[in-house]
């Protein structure tokens, strides 16, 4: 704590003098001052004390409505270049946030430097199906066929997906839009690493916002994990309605088994059949069969 200097002493005297009026108790003012001094406020800011309790002082302190607004405090310009965002996840966030439609998002992905994953792949696999569909299917990542053709779910798993959807009146040619968590084929069809998924996720989240679906189908554990953030496995959560917050509202989301898994484990198709019936009922209840919404 500093010592009370000359200016502080004058301030203290003035306070004692000004506040020695009928309205203010002298002892009160002094005890407030003692509290301030004890707190370290022992220097006056102005040369002369201002009694802010008088009307004139209050008026002088108030800016006139005609007076120009006070200039903002200036900081010296250092002329430094804007810092470059170098980590791929931050770059992905910035690139995806700047896209206002699906065409812009696809172009942003095409030109995005996603490092090794991107370099090993032939194509950027963006989406397939009906733009404007209310039903969005999200898979894991492109495989070899998808990488060749540049569209999701065109190999054997894709053909099975088409048959699954057809059993409940859905189709990518009529009322479904399809994409993946990851837009480039992981080498040897391995599961995408968390870092690969994290780079693609800002694009996927923007993709979902721009599609604005009214029902989402998650195909397999990777889509479940990264879209919902849930840590339980797909066998535990499949068949249970979850929710995704997109474009200002909660969207029902059904996780089910991935068609590639069903190709290896056909006996599990009975579980998917139950999930599909759930989806069919919800699609009907929400009137989502027609992408134009019946208009
Ligand atoms: N598996 C996926 O998850 N996505 C595809 O596009 C193809 C196979």
């Amino acid at each position: 704590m500093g010592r009370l200097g000359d200016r502080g002493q004058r301030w203290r005297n003035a306070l004692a003098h000004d506040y020695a009026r009928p309205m203010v108790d002298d002892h009160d003012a002094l005890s407030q001052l003692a509290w301030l001094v004890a707190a370290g406020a022992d220097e006056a800011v102005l040369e002369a004390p201002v009694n802010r309790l008088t009307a004139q002082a209050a008026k002088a302190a108030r800016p006139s409505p005609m007076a120009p607004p006070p200039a903002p405090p200036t900081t010296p310009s250092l002329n430094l270049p804007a810092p470059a965002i170098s980590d791929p996840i931050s770059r992905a966030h910035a690139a995806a946030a700047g896209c206002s439609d699906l065409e812009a998002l696809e172009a942003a992905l095409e030109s995005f430097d996603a490092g090794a994953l991107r370099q090993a792949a032939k194509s950027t696999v963006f989406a397939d199906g009906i733009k404007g569909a209310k039903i969005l299917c999200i898979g894991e990542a492109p495989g070899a066929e998808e990488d060749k053709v540049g569209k999701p779910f065109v190999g054997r798993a894709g053909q099975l997906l088409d048959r699954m959807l057809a059993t409940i009146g859905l189709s990518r040619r009529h009322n479904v839009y399809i994409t993946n968590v990851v837009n480039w084929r992981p080498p040897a069809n391995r599961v995408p690493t968390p870092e690969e998924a994290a780079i693609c996720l800002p694009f996927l989240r923007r993709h979902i916002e721009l599609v604005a679906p009214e029902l989402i189908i998650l195909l397999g554990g990777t889509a479940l994990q990264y879209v919902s953030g849930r840590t339980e496995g797909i066998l535990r959560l499949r068949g249970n309605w979850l929710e995704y917050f997109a474009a200002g509202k909660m969207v029902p989301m059904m996780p089910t088994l991935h068609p590639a898994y069903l190709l290896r484990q056909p006996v599990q198709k009975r579980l998917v059949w139950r999930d599909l019936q759930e989806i069919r009922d919800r699609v009907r209840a929400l009137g989502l069969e027609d992408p134009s919404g019946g208009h």
Side-chain angles (χ1 to χ4, degrees), residues 118-131:
R118 170 77 208 254
Q119 281 152 24
K122 290 193 185 75
S123 322
T124 299
V125 176
F126 184 65
D128 195 20
I130 302 295
K131 283 181 186 161

Side-chain angles (χ1 to χ4, degrees), residues 11-32:
W11 187 47
R12 180 190 164 132
N13 292 343
L15 256 179
H17 170 76
D18 274 1
Y19 286 4
R21 302 224 170 131
M23 291 283 291
V24 182
D25 180 87
D26 201 15
H27 177 75
D28 258 12
L30 280 174
S31 63
Q32 284 172 29

Side-chain angles (χ1 to χ4, degrees), residues 250-272:
M250 297 307 287
V251 178
M253 182 161 70
M254 172 59 78
T256 192
L257 304 180
H258 194 287
Y261 172 75
L262 295 179
L263 289 173
R264 298 191 301 273
Q265 302 282 335
V267 68
Q268 302 286 44
K269 282 183 185 165
R270 67 200 161 84
L271 297 177
V272 172

Side-chain angles (χ1 to χ4, degrees), residues 30-243:
L30 280 174
S31 63
Q32 284 172 29
L33 181 63
W35 184 89
L36 287 171
V37 172
D42 56 4
E43 281 291 326
V45 174
L46 297 174
E47 275 302 321
V50 176
N51 183 348
R52 296 186 191 278
L53 296 177
T54 65
Q56 208 182 4
K59 193 170 165 218
R62 226 181 292 131
S64 146
M66 303 304 287
T74 54
T75 43
S77 162
L78 297 176
N79 276 335
L80 294 175
I85 303 175
S86 58
D87 82 278
I89 299 171
S90 304
R91 282 192 293 106
H93 273 285
C99 298
S100 54
D101 56 33
L102 291 172
E103 289 72 24
L105 189 69
E106 185 169 8
L109 261 168
E110 280 287 355
S111 61
F112 188 75
D113 173 11
L117 184 65
R118 170 77 208 254
Q119 281 152 24
K122 290 193 185 75
S123 322
T124 299
V125 176
F126 184 65
D128 195 20
I130 302 295
K131 283 181 186 161
K134 307 282 189 300
I135 301 158
L136 169 64
C137 288
I138 305 176
E140 179 177 293
E145 282 299 309
E146 291 76 19
D147 187 38
K148 226 184 278 167
V149 175
K151 284 190 186 304
F153 283 102
V154 294
R156 279 183 69 222
Q159 287 155 20
L160 177 55
L161 175 63
D162 285 341
R163 290 200 297 277
M164 285 160 54
L165 294 174
T167 61
I168 56 168
L170 303 182
S171 141
R172 70 173 95 191
R173 278 187 294 282
H174 180 49
N175 47 16
V176 170
Y177 187 86
I178 303 176
T179 189
N180 282 312
V181 171
V182 164
N183 305 91
W184 297 279
R185 179 193 180 206
N189 289 355
R190 61 162 168 71
V191 175
T193 64
E195 204 206 344
E196 289 164 350
I199 292 171
C200 294
L201 266 183
F203 291 104
L204 177 64
R205 297 214 177 279
R206 189 75 188 121
H207 207 155
I208 298 173
E209 274 171 11
L210 292 171
V211 172
E214 293 187 25
L215 191 148
I216 298 173
I217 303 173
L218 300 176
L219 300 165
T222 299
L224 169 66
Q225 177 185 352
Y226 291 111
V227 179
S228 77
R230 300 286 292 253
T231 51
E232 301 97 317
I234 186 69
L235 285 168
R236 173 89 197 284
L237 283 186
R238 60 137 284 279
N240 292 284
W241 286 106
L242 307 176
E243 286 186 316

